[in-house]
Amino acid sequence: MAEPPKLRVLMVSDFFFPNFGGVENHIYYLSQCLLKLGHKVVVMTHAYGNRSGVRYMTGGLKVYYVPWRPFVMQTTFPTVYGTLPIVRTILRREKITVVHGHQAFSTLCHEALMHARTMGYKVVFTDHSLYGFADVGSIHMNKVLQFSLADIDQAICVSHTSKENTVLRSGLSPAKVFMIPNAVDTAMFKPASVRPSTDIITIVVISRLVYRKGADLLVEVIPEVCRLYANVRFVVGGDGPKHVRLEEMREKHSLQDRVEMLGAVPHSRVRSVLVTGHIFLNSSLTEAFCIAILEAASCGLLTVSTRVGGVPEVLPDDMVVLAEPDPDDMVRAIEKAISILPSINPEEMHNRMKKLYSWQDVAKRTEIVYDRALKCSNRSLLERLSRYIISLLI
Protein backbone atom coordinates (compact mmCIF):
# COMPACT_ATOMS: atom_id res chain seq x y z
CA MET A 1 0.00 0.00 0.00
CA ALA A 2 1.39 3.42 -1.03
CA GLU A 3 2.41 5.77 1.76
CA PRO A 4 0.29 8.93 2.14
CA PRO A 5 2.02 12.15 0.98
CA LYS A 6 4.00 14.06 3.60
CA LEU A 7 2.52 17.43 2.61
CA ARG A 8 -0.12 18.51 0.13
CA VAL A 9 1.06 21.70 -1.56
CA LEU A 10 -0.92 23.99 -3.85
CA MET A 11 1.26 26.14 -6.12
CA VAL A 12 -0.61 29.23 -7.36
CA SER A 13 0.46 31.69 -10.04
CA ASP A 14 -0.76 33.32 -13.24
CA PHE A 15 2.51 32.15 -14.82
CA PHE A 16 2.88 28.51 -15.79
CA PHE A 17 3.24 26.12 -18.75
CA PRO A 18 2.70 26.44 -21.73
CA ASN A 19 4.22 29.88 -21.09
CA PHE A 20 8.01 29.82 -20.58
CA GLY A 21 10.04 32.00 -18.27
CA GLY A 22 11.88 32.06 -14.96
CA VAL A 23 8.76 31.81 -12.77
CA GLU A 24 7.23 29.06 -14.89
CA ASN A 25 10.44 26.98 -14.81
CA HIS A 26 10.83 27.51 -11.07
CA ILE A 27 7.31 26.25 -10.30
CA TYR A 28 7.66 23.25 -12.63
CA TYR A 29 11.08 22.02 -11.44
CA LEU A 30 10.33 22.70 -7.76
CA SER A 31 7.05 20.76 -8.07
CA GLN A 32 8.78 17.79 -9.72
CA CYS A 33 11.41 17.60 -6.98
CA LEU A 34 8.82 17.92 -4.20
CA LEU A 35 6.88 15.03 -5.80
CA LYS A 36 10.05 12.90 -5.68
CA LEU A 37 10.46 13.77 -1.99
CA GLY A 38 7.06 12.21 -1.29
CA HIS A 39 4.80 15.27 -1.24
CA LYS A 40 1.66 15.81 -3.26
CA VAL A 41 1.83 18.93 -5.44
CA VAL A 42 -1.04 20.59 -7.32
CA VAL A 43 -0.69 23.69 -9.51
CA MET A 44 -3.41 26.31 -10.03
CA THR A 45 -3.16 28.79 -12.90
CA HIS A 46 -5.45 30.46 -15.43
CA ALA A 47 -6.49 29.00 -18.79
CA TYR A 48 -4.07 29.34 -21.71
CA GLY A 49 -5.89 29.33 -25.06
CA ASN A 50 -7.88 26.09 -25.24
CA ARG A 51 -5.91 24.62 -22.33
CA SER A 52 -8.59 24.67 -19.64
CA GLY A 53 -9.71 22.26 -16.93
CA VAL A 54 -7.53 19.64 -15.23
CA ARG A 55 -4.34 18.39 -16.90
CA TYR A 56 -1.59 16.03 -15.75
CA MET A 57 2.11 16.56 -16.41
CA THR A 58 5.29 14.54 -15.91
CA GLY A 59 5.51 12.71 -12.58
CA GLY A 60 1.76 12.96 -11.93
CA LEU A 61 1.81 16.76 -11.44
CA LYS A 62 -1.84 17.85 -11.43
CA VAL A 63 -2.61 21.27 -12.93
CA TYR A 64 -5.88 23.19 -12.64
CA TYR A 65 -6.25 25.61 -15.56
CA VAL A 66 -9.14 27.61 -14.14
CA PRO A 67 -11.44 29.24 -16.74
CA TRP A 68 -10.14 32.78 -16.32
CA ARG A 69 -8.59 34.58 -19.30
CA PRO A 70 -5.52 36.81 -18.92
CA PHE A 71 -6.28 40.51 -18.63
CA VAL A 72 -2.86 42.14 -19.14
CA MET A 73 0.72 40.75 -19.15
CA GLN A 74 -0.64 37.20 -18.64
CA THR A 75 -2.29 38.14 -15.33
CA THR A 76 -6.00 37.74 -14.62
CA PHE A 77 -8.38 40.59 -13.86
CA PRO A 78 -8.46 41.28 -10.09
CA THR A 79 -11.84 40.25 -8.66
CA VAL A 80 -10.95 39.83 -4.94
CA TYR A 81 -13.83 37.41 -4.22
CA GLY A 82 -14.53 36.07 -7.72
CA THR A 83 -11.95 33.30 -7.28
CA LEU A 84 -13.13 32.23 -3.81
CA PRO A 85 -15.49 29.40 -4.90
CA ILE A 86 -12.94 27.65 -7.13
CA VAL A 87 -10.05 28.19 -4.68
CA ARG A 88 -12.16 26.72 -1.87
CA THR A 89 -13.15 23.75 -4.05
CA ILE A 90 -9.52 22.93 -4.93
CA LEU A 91 -8.30 23.34 -1.34
CA ARG A 92 -10.94 20.97 0.01
CA ARG A 93 -10.87 18.45 -2.85
CA GLU A 94 -7.07 18.06 -2.76
CA LYS A 95 -6.87 18.23 1.08
CA ILE A 96 -4.18 20.92 0.83
CA THR A 97 -1.96 21.70 3.84
CA VAL A 98 0.24 24.52 2.42
CA VAL A 99 -0.60 27.13 -0.24
CA HIS A 100 2.47 28.48 -2.06
CA GLY A 101 1.96 31.61 -4.19
CA HIS A 102 4.46 32.86 -6.75
CA GLN A 103 5.24 36.31 -8.19
CA ALA A 104 4.25 39.75 -6.90
CA PHE A 105 2.21 40.84 -9.92
CA SER A 106 0.15 37.64 -10.13
CA THR A 107 -3.39 38.62 -9.11
CA LEU A 108 -4.43 34.96 -8.93
CA CYS A 109 -1.63 34.37 -6.42
CA HIS A 110 -2.66 37.24 -4.14
CA GLU A 111 -6.33 36.31 -4.16
CA ALA A 112 -5.60 32.63 -3.46
CA LEU A 113 -3.30 33.52 -0.53
CA MET A 114 -5.97 35.77 1.01
CA HIS A 115 -8.72 33.16 0.66
CA ALA A 116 -6.44 30.39 1.99
CA ARG A 117 -5.61 32.42 5.11
CA THR A 118 -9.31 33.16 5.63
CA MET A 119 -9.95 29.40 5.60
CA GLY A 120 -7.11 28.78 8.07
CA TYR A 121 -4.51 27.32 5.68
CA LYS A 122 -0.77 27.98 6.00
CA VAL A 123 0.59 30.14 3.19
CA VAL A 124 4.04 30.80 1.72
CA PHE A 125 4.90 33.43 -0.88
CA THR A 126 7.87 33.51 -3.29
CA ASP A 127 8.91 36.80 -4.90
CA HIS A 128 10.81 36.49 -8.18
CA SER A 129 11.27 40.14 -9.18
CA LEU A 130 12.66 43.50 -8.08
CA TYR A 131 10.59 46.68 -7.96
CA GLY A 132 11.40 50.33 -7.44
CA PHE A 133 9.90 52.81 -5.01
CA ALA A 134 9.52 56.02 -7.01
CA ASP A 135 7.41 55.41 -10.14
CA VAL A 136 3.61 55.28 -10.04
CA GLY A 137 3.38 51.58 -11.00
CA SER A 138 5.80 50.48 -8.28
CA ILE A 139 4.08 52.60 -5.61
CA HIS A 140 0.73 50.94 -6.34
CA MET A 141 2.28 47.46 -6.59
CA ASN A 142 4.07 47.91 -3.27
CA LYS A 143 0.83 48.95 -1.55
CA VAL A 144 -0.91 45.82 -2.89
CA LEU A 145 2.03 43.73 -1.66
CA GLN A 146 1.87 45.27 1.83
CA PHE A 147 -1.82 44.38 2.09
CA SER A 148 -1.53 40.91 0.54
CA LEU A 149 1.48 39.79 2.61
CA ALA A 150 0.27 41.26 5.90
CA ASP A 151 -1.02 37.86 7.00
CA ILE A 152 1.28 35.30 5.35
CA ASP A 153 3.26 32.75 7.37
CA GLN A 154 6.62 32.69 5.52
CA ALA A 155 8.18 34.22 2.38
CA ILE A 156 10.97 33.19 0.01
CA CYS A 157 13.15 35.35 -2.24
CA VAL A 158 15.54 34.15 -4.94
CA SER A 159 18.53 36.34 -3.98
CA HIS A 160 19.77 38.45 -1.06
CA THR A 161 19.12 41.61 -3.07
CA SER A 162 15.58 40.40 -3.73
CA LYS A 163 15.09 39.71 -0.01
CA GLU A 164 16.13 43.26 0.93
CA ASN A 165 13.84 44.66 -1.77
CA THR A 166 10.84 42.58 -0.67
CA VAL A 167 11.30 43.40 3.03
CA LEU A 168 11.45 47.13 2.28
CA ARG A 169 8.44 47.03 -0.07
CA SER A 170 6.15 44.78 1.96
CA GLY A 171 7.07 45.63 5.54
CA LEU A 172 7.59 41.93 6.36
CA SER A 173 9.87 40.97 9.22
CA PRO A 174 13.27 39.82 7.81
CA ALA A 175 13.02 36.78 10.10
CA LYS A 176 10.04 35.59 8.03
CA VAL A 177 11.85 35.88 4.69
CA PHE A 178 14.17 33.13 3.43
CA MET A 179 16.64 33.28 0.55
CA ILE A 180 16.50 30.22 -1.72
CA PRO A 181 18.07 30.70 -5.18
CA ASN A 182 16.85 29.34 -8.48
CA ALA A 183 18.67 26.39 -10.05
CA VAL A 184 19.33 24.79 -13.43
CA ASP A 185 18.71 21.36 -14.90
CA THR A 186 22.34 20.44 -15.64
CA ALA A 187 21.26 17.16 -17.26
CA MET A 188 19.45 19.17 -19.92
CA PHE A 189 21.91 22.05 -20.26
CA LYS A 190 25.31 20.54 -21.04
CA PRO A 191 28.14 21.64 -23.37
CA ALA A 192 28.42 20.50 -26.98
CA SER A 193 30.48 17.34 -27.49
CA VAL A 194 32.72 19.34 -29.82
CA ARG A 195 33.45 22.95 -28.86
CA PRO A 196 32.72 25.51 -31.63
CA SER A 197 35.80 26.91 -33.39
CA THR A 198 37.06 30.23 -32.01
CA ASP A 199 37.94 31.49 -35.49
CA ILE A 200 34.47 33.04 -35.43
CA ILE A 201 33.37 34.13 -31.94
CA THR A 202 29.62 33.79 -31.44
CA ILE A 203 27.86 35.89 -28.80
CA VAL A 204 24.42 34.56 -27.85
CA VAL A 205 21.52 36.64 -26.54
CA ILE A 206 18.32 34.86 -25.42
CA SER A 207 15.84 37.19 -23.79
CA ARG A 208 12.45 38.82 -24.12
CA LEU A 209 13.06 41.89 -26.26
CA VAL A 210 11.56 44.44 -23.90
CA TYR A 211 12.85 47.59 -22.20
CA ARG A 212 13.34 45.89 -18.80
CA LYS A 213 15.61 43.27 -20.39
CA GLY A 214 17.89 45.96 -21.85
CA ALA A 215 16.98 45.55 -25.53
CA ASP A 216 17.81 49.24 -26.10
CA LEU A 217 21.34 48.59 -24.81
CA LEU A 218 21.77 45.82 -27.38
CA VAL A 219 20.90 48.27 -30.16
CA GLU A 220 23.96 50.35 -29.19
CA VAL A 221 26.35 47.58 -28.11
CA ILE A 222 26.07 45.18 -31.08
CA PRO A 223 27.18 47.61 -33.85
CA GLU A 224 30.17 48.80 -31.80
CA VAL A 225 31.38 45.25 -31.04
CA CYS A 226 30.97 44.29 -34.71
CA ARG A 227 33.03 47.37 -35.67
CA LEU A 228 35.85 46.44 -33.27
CA TYR A 229 35.96 42.70 -34.09
CA ALA A 230 35.55 41.42 -37.64
CA ASN A 231 35.36 37.81 -36.40
CA VAL A 232 32.42 38.32 -34.00
CA ARG A 233 28.81 37.45 -34.82
CA PHE A 234 25.64 37.65 -32.73
CA VAL A 235 22.75 35.22 -32.38
CA VAL A 236 19.67 36.88 -30.86
CA GLY A 237 16.80 34.70 -29.65
CA GLY A 238 13.60 36.14 -28.29
CA ASP A 239 10.64 38.27 -29.25
CA GLY A 240 8.95 41.39 -27.96
CA PRO A 241 8.13 45.01 -28.73
CA LYS A 242 11.82 45.92 -29.15
CA HIS A 243 12.31 43.36 -31.93
CA VAL A 244 11.67 46.10 -34.50
CA ARG A 245 14.46 48.30 -33.07
CA LEU A 246 16.96 45.46 -33.41
CA GLU A 247 15.86 44.80 -36.99
CA GLU A 248 16.28 48.51 -37.78
CA MET A 249 19.78 48.48 -36.22
CA ARG A 250 20.73 45.48 -38.34
CA GLU A 251 19.52 47.22 -41.51
CA LYS A 252 21.13 50.58 -40.64
CA HIS A 253 24.59 49.09 -40.05
CA SER A 254 24.34 46.38 -42.75
CA LEU A 255 24.85 43.57 -40.23
CA GLN A 256 22.45 41.02 -41.75
CA ASP A 257 25.26 38.49 -42.18
CA ARG A 258 26.63 39.02 -38.64
CA VAL A 259 23.47 39.35 -36.52
CA GLU A 260 21.08 36.41 -36.71
CA MET A 261 17.56 37.05 -35.41
CA LEU A 262 15.87 33.78 -34.36
CA GLY A 263 12.61 35.15 -32.99
CA ALA A 264 10.92 33.34 -30.10
CA VAL A 265 12.90 30.26 -29.00
CA PRO A 266 11.00 27.40 -27.27
CA HIS A 267 12.62 26.31 -24.01
CA SER A 268 13.29 22.87 -25.49
CA ARG A 269 15.52 24.53 -28.13
CA VAL A 270 17.42 26.93 -25.84
CA ARG A 271 20.27 24.50 -25.23
CA SER A 272 20.79 23.87 -28.97
CA VAL A 273 21.12 27.65 -29.49
CA LEU A 274 23.46 28.17 -26.52
CA VAL A 275 25.96 25.47 -27.55
CA THR A 276 26.59 27.27 -30.88
CA GLY A 277 28.13 30.19 -28.97
CA HIS A 278 31.15 31.13 -26.86
CA ILE A 279 29.82 34.10 -24.87
CA PHE A 280 26.37 34.72 -23.38
CA LEU A 281 25.26 38.35 -23.15
CA ASN A 282 22.67 39.49 -20.59
CA SER A 283 21.71 43.17 -20.77
CA SER A 284 18.91 43.32 -18.18
CA LEU A 285 18.23 46.62 -16.41
CA THR A 286 16.70 44.87 -13.40
CA GLU A 287 16.92 41.22 -12.32
CA ALA A 288 16.26 39.50 -8.99
CA PHE A 289 18.07 36.41 -10.26
CA CYS A 290 18.71 35.18 -13.80
CA ILE A 291 18.09 31.54 -14.70
CA ALA A 292 19.29 32.26 -18.27
CA ILE A 293 22.78 32.93 -16.90
CA LEU A 294 22.77 29.56 -15.11
CA GLU A 295 21.67 27.77 -18.30
CA ALA A 296 24.42 29.45 -20.32
CA ALA A 297 27.12 28.69 -17.75
CA SER A 298 25.94 25.07 -17.54
CA CYS A 299 26.43 24.87 -21.32
CA GLY A 300 30.01 26.15 -20.89
CA LEU A 301 29.54 29.75 -22.09
CA LEU A 302 31.38 32.66 -20.50
CA THR A 303 28.81 35.24 -19.38
CA VAL A 304 28.86 39.01 -19.82
CA SER A 305 26.12 40.67 -17.79
CA THR A 306 24.97 43.99 -16.44
CA ARG A 307 25.71 44.49 -12.74
CA VAL A 308 22.10 44.85 -11.58
CA GLY A 309 19.92 43.39 -8.81
CA GLY A 310 20.88 39.88 -7.73
CA VAL A 311 23.02 39.08 -10.82
CA PRO A 312 26.39 39.54 -9.00
CA GLU A 313 25.31 36.76 -6.58
CA VAL A 314 24.66 34.17 -9.29
CA LEU A 315 28.09 33.07 -10.59
CA PRO A 316 31.69 33.04 -9.31
CA ASP A 317 33.87 35.93 -10.53
CA ASP A 318 35.86 33.76 -12.97
CA MET A 319 32.68 32.66 -14.79
CA VAL A 320 31.17 36.08 -15.45
CA VAL A 321 32.29 39.54 -16.54
CA LEU A 322 30.08 42.26 -15.06
CA ALA A 323 29.44 45.72 -16.47
CA GLU A 324 27.34 48.74 -15.62
CA PRO A 325 24.16 49.08 -17.71
CA ASP A 326 25.94 51.49 -20.02
CA PRO A 327 26.85 50.77 -23.69
CA ASP A 328 30.52 51.78 -23.37
CA ASP A 329 31.07 49.71 -20.23
CA MET A 330 29.33 46.71 -21.79
CA VAL A 331 31.57 46.91 -24.86
CA ARG A 332 34.63 46.96 -22.57
CA ALA A 333 33.27 43.92 -20.71
CA ILE A 334 32.82 42.03 -24.01
CA GLU A 335 36.40 42.93 -24.98
CA LYS A 336 37.62 41.50 -21.66
CA ALA A 337 35.52 38.35 -22.17
CA ILE A 338 36.97 37.80 -25.64
CA SER A 339 40.51 38.14 -24.25
CA ILE A 340 39.98 35.47 -21.55
CA LEU A 341 37.93 33.15 -23.76
CA PRO A 342 40.90 30.79 -24.52
CA SER A 343 41.20 29.95 -20.81
CA ILE A 344 37.57 28.79 -20.52
CA ASN A 345 36.96 25.03 -20.25
CA PRO A 346 33.24 24.30 -20.94
CA GLU A 347 33.27 20.82 -19.34
CA GLU A 348 34.94 22.12 -16.18
CA MET A 349 32.40 24.96 -15.99
CA HIS A 350 29.53 22.49 -16.40
CA ASN A 351 30.86 20.26 -13.60
CA ARG A 352 31.15 23.28 -11.28
CA MET A 353 27.56 24.26 -12.03
CA LYS A 354 26.43 20.74 -11.05
CA LYS A 355 27.86 21.30 -7.58
CA LEU A 356 26.67 24.90 -7.22
CA TYR A 357 23.02 24.56 -8.22
CA SER A 358 20.43 21.78 -8.15
CA TRP A 359 16.64 21.75 -7.95
CA GLN A 360 16.85 18.92 -5.41
CA ASP A 361 18.65 21.28 -3.02
CA VAL A 362 16.05 24.01 -3.68
CA ALA A 363 13.24 21.54 -2.88
CA LYS A 364 14.87 20.42 0.39
CA ARG A 365 15.35 24.02 1.50
CA THR A 366 11.75 24.83 0.56
CA GLU A 367 10.62 21.87 2.73
CA ILE A 368 12.20 23.62 5.72
CA VAL A 369 10.21 26.78 4.97
CA TYR A 370 7.00 24.72 4.77
CA ASP A 371 7.79 23.16 8.15
CA ARG A 372 8.33 26.64 9.63
CA ALA A 373 5.00 27.78 8.17
CA LEU A 374 3.15 24.80 9.67
CA LYS A 375 4.54 25.67 13.11
CA CYS A 376 3.21 29.24 12.96
CA SER A 377 0.28 29.84 15.30
CA ASN A 378 -3.15 30.65 13.89
CA ARG A 379 -4.32 34.24 14.34
CA SER A 380 -7.77 35.32 15.38
CA LEU A 381 -10.01 37.27 13.02
CA LEU A 382 -9.37 40.49 14.96
CA GLU A 383 -5.60 40.03 14.71
CA ARG A 384 -5.86 39.44 10.96
CA LEU A 385 -8.09 42.47 10.42
CA SER A 386 -5.75 44.71 12.45
CA ARG A 387 -2.80 43.59 10.30
CA TYR A 388 -4.70 44.42 7.11
CA ILE A 389 -5.77 47.83 8.46
CA ILE A 390 -2.21 48.68 9.53
CA SER A 391 -0.89 47.70 6.07
CA LEU A 392 -3.35 50.15 4.47
CA LEU A 393 -2.32 52.97 6.82
CA ILE A 394 1.46 52.61 6.35
Side-chain angles (χ1 to χ4, degrees), residues 231-388:
N231 66 329
V232 169
R233 63 184 289 268
F234 284 82
V235 175
V236 181
D239 204 359
K242 297 292 183 179
H243 185 274
V244 175
R245 282 211 68 195
L246 285 165
E247 289 284 6
E248 289 173 350
M249 172 274 295
R250 195 167 68 151
E251 295 285 337
K252 179 181 177 181
H253 297 278
S254 302
L255 295 173
Q256 291 89 339
D257 59 332
R258 298 182 62 187
V259 180
E260 184 181 356
M261 303 290 292
L262 300 178
V265 179
H267 193 252
S268 57
R269 282 193 55 229
V270 169
R271 186 255 173 191
S272 62
V273 175
L274 288 173
V275 296
T276 63
H278 305 86
I279 295 171
F280 180 77
L281 178 60
N282 173 54
S283 58
S284 292
L285 301 180
T286 176
E287 200 80 72
F289 197 85
C290 189
I291 293 182
I293 289 176
L294 295 187
E295 293 171 349
S298 185
C299 288
L301 276 69
L302 178 62
T303 297
V304 174
S305 177
T306 44
R307 188 185 286 106
V308 294
V311 170
E313 304 174 31
V314 177
L315 292 175
D317 292 341
D318 60 329
M319 295 170 73
V320 62
V321 181
L322 297 173
E324 297 303 318
D326 170 76
D328 293 335
D329 202 35
M330 289 188 69
V331 170
R332 285 192 289 271
I334 291 171
E335 289 177 339
K336 181 180 178 182
I338 290 172
S339 69
I340 64 176
L341 201 55
S343 63
I344 299 298
N345 184 328
E347 284 295 337
E348 181 185 323
M349 191 178 287
H350 176 74
N351 291 333
R352 288 176 67 187
M353 290 301 296
K354 275 185 178 178
K355 296 175 183 176
L356 287 171
Y357 293 100
S358 79
W359 285 111
Q360 289 78 13
D361 178 58
V362 171
K364 288 175 183 175
R365 292 167 71 172
T366 305
E367 269 188 316
I368 296 170
V369 179
Y370 290 161
D371 288 339
R372 288 282 295 268
L374 291 169
K375 291 174 184 174
C376 291
S377 58
N378 288 321
R379 302 181 189 92
S380 68
L381 179 60
L382 285 176
E383 284 179 303
R384 293 187 63 232
L385 287 174
S386 66
R387 282 170 175 264
Y388 283 129

Side-chain angles (χ1 to χ4, degrees), residues 202-222:
T202 302
I203 299 177
V204 178
V205 179
I206 298 181
S207 169
R208 291 195 302 278
L209 301 180
V210 295
Y211 171 78
R212 191 173 69 85
K213 292 293 184 178
D216 295 302
L217 282 175
L218 294 176
V219 171
E220 298 186 52
V221 169
I222 291 174

Side-chain angles (χ1 to χ4, degrees), residues 26 41 43-44 86 88 97 114 121 139 157 180 195 205 226 248 263 365:
H26 182 102
V41 184
V43 177
M44 177 183 170
I86 198 162
R88 179 180 179 277
T97 49
M114 186 177 72
Y121 290 90
I139 291 169
C157 292
I180 303 176
R195 190 182 185 186
V205 179
C226 289
E248 289 173 350
R365 292 167 71 172

Side-chain angles (χ1 to χ4, degrees), residues 11-311:
M11 302 279 184
V12 187
S13 181
D14 279 306
F15 309 98
F16 194 61
F17 182 85
N19 222 35
F20 284 106
V23 180
E24 293 86 345
N25 285 352
H26 182 102
I27 296 172
Y28 175 78
Y29 283 112
L30 174 59
S31 299
Q32 293 295 336
C33 290
L34 287 172
L35 286 168
K36 290 176 182 175
L37 290 172
H39 305 290
K40 178 178 180 177
V41 184
V42 179
V43 177
M44 177 183 170
T45 187
H46 64 71
Y48 281 87
N50 62 357
R51 188 180 287 264
S52 183
V54 179
R55 302 287 181 99
Y56 285 88
M57 300 182 71
T58 307
L61 177 61
K62 190 175 184 178
V63 184
Y64 284 88
Y65 289 94
V66 299
W68 265 264
R69 298 297 174 185
F71 171 60
V72 62
M73 292 175 63
Q74 289 300 330
T75 61
T76 50
F77 187 81
T79 62
V80 184
Y81 290 105
T83 51
L84 176 57
I86 198 162
V87 169
R88 179 180 179 277
T89 299
I90 294 171
L91 290 173
R92 289 175 60 83
R93 177 187 293 172
E94 304 296 340
K95 298 181 174 62
I96 297 300
T97 49
V98 177
V99 179
H100 190 169
H102 292 262
Q103 191 58 314
F105 50 85
S106 168
T107 54
L108 192 63
C109 160
H110 290 302
E111 291 182 16
L113 292 183
M114 186 177 72
H115 300 326
R117 285 299 299 129
T118 301
M119 295 174 67
Y121 290 90
K122 302 301 182 183
V123 299
V124 176
F125 171 75
T126 295
D127 201 356
H128 295 263
S129 299
L130 299 178
Y131 285 87
F133 299 89
D135 60 285
V136 174
S138 295
I139 291 169
H140 282 81
M141 187 68 248
N142 294 344
K143 180 56 69 176
V144 170
L145 202 66
Q146 285 177 355
F147 181 83
S148 178
L149 304 190
D151 193 35
I152 66 164
D153 295 296
Q154 303 292 328
I156 298 171
C157 292
V158 293
S159 66
H160 291 289
T161 303
S162 175
K163 176 179 176 177
E164 292 175 13
N165 184 264
T166 300
V167 167
L168 288 171
R169 285 161 48 221
S170 65
L172 281 172
S173 165
K176 270 189 174 185
V177 186
F178 294 79
M179 198 292 287
I180 303 176
N182 285 309
V184 61
D185 184 358
T186 51
M188 179 178 177
F189 291 92
K190 50 190 176 185
S193 52
V194 179
R195 190 182 185 186
S197 170
T198 52
D199 293 339
I200 300 292
I201 297 172
T202 302
I203 299 177
V204 178
V205 179
I206 298 181
S207 169
R208 291 195 302 278
L209 301 180
V210 295
Y211 171 78
R212 191 173 69 85
K213 292 293 184 178
D216 295 302
L217 282 175
L218 294 176
V219 171
E220 298 186 52
V221 169
I222 291 174
E224 183 62 17
V225 173
C226 289
R227 185 185 67 81
L228 293 172
Y229 295 93
N231 66 329
V232 169
R233 63 184 289 268
F234 284 82
V235 175
V236 181
D239 204 359
K242 297 292 183 179
H243 185 274
V244 175
R245 282 211 68 195
L246 285 165
E247 289 284 6
E248 289 173 350
M249 172 274 295
R250 195 167 68 151
E251 295 285 337
K252 179 181 177 181
H253 297 278
S254 302
L255 295 173
Q256 291 89 339
D257 59 332
R258 298 182 62 187
V259 180
E260 184 181 356
M261 303 290 292
L262 300 178
V265 179
H267 193 252
S268 57
R269 282 193 55 229
V270 169
R271 186 255 173 191
S272 62
V273 175
L274 288 173
V275 296
T276 63
H278 305 86
I279 295 171
F280 180 77
L281 178 60
N282 173 54
S283 58
S284 292
L285 301 180
T286 176
E287 200 80 72
F289 197 85
C290 189
I291 293 182
I293 289 176
L294 295 187
E295 293 171 349
S298 185
C299 288
L301 276 69
L302 178 62
T303 297
V304 174
S305 177
T306 44
R307 188 185 286 106
V308 294
V311 170

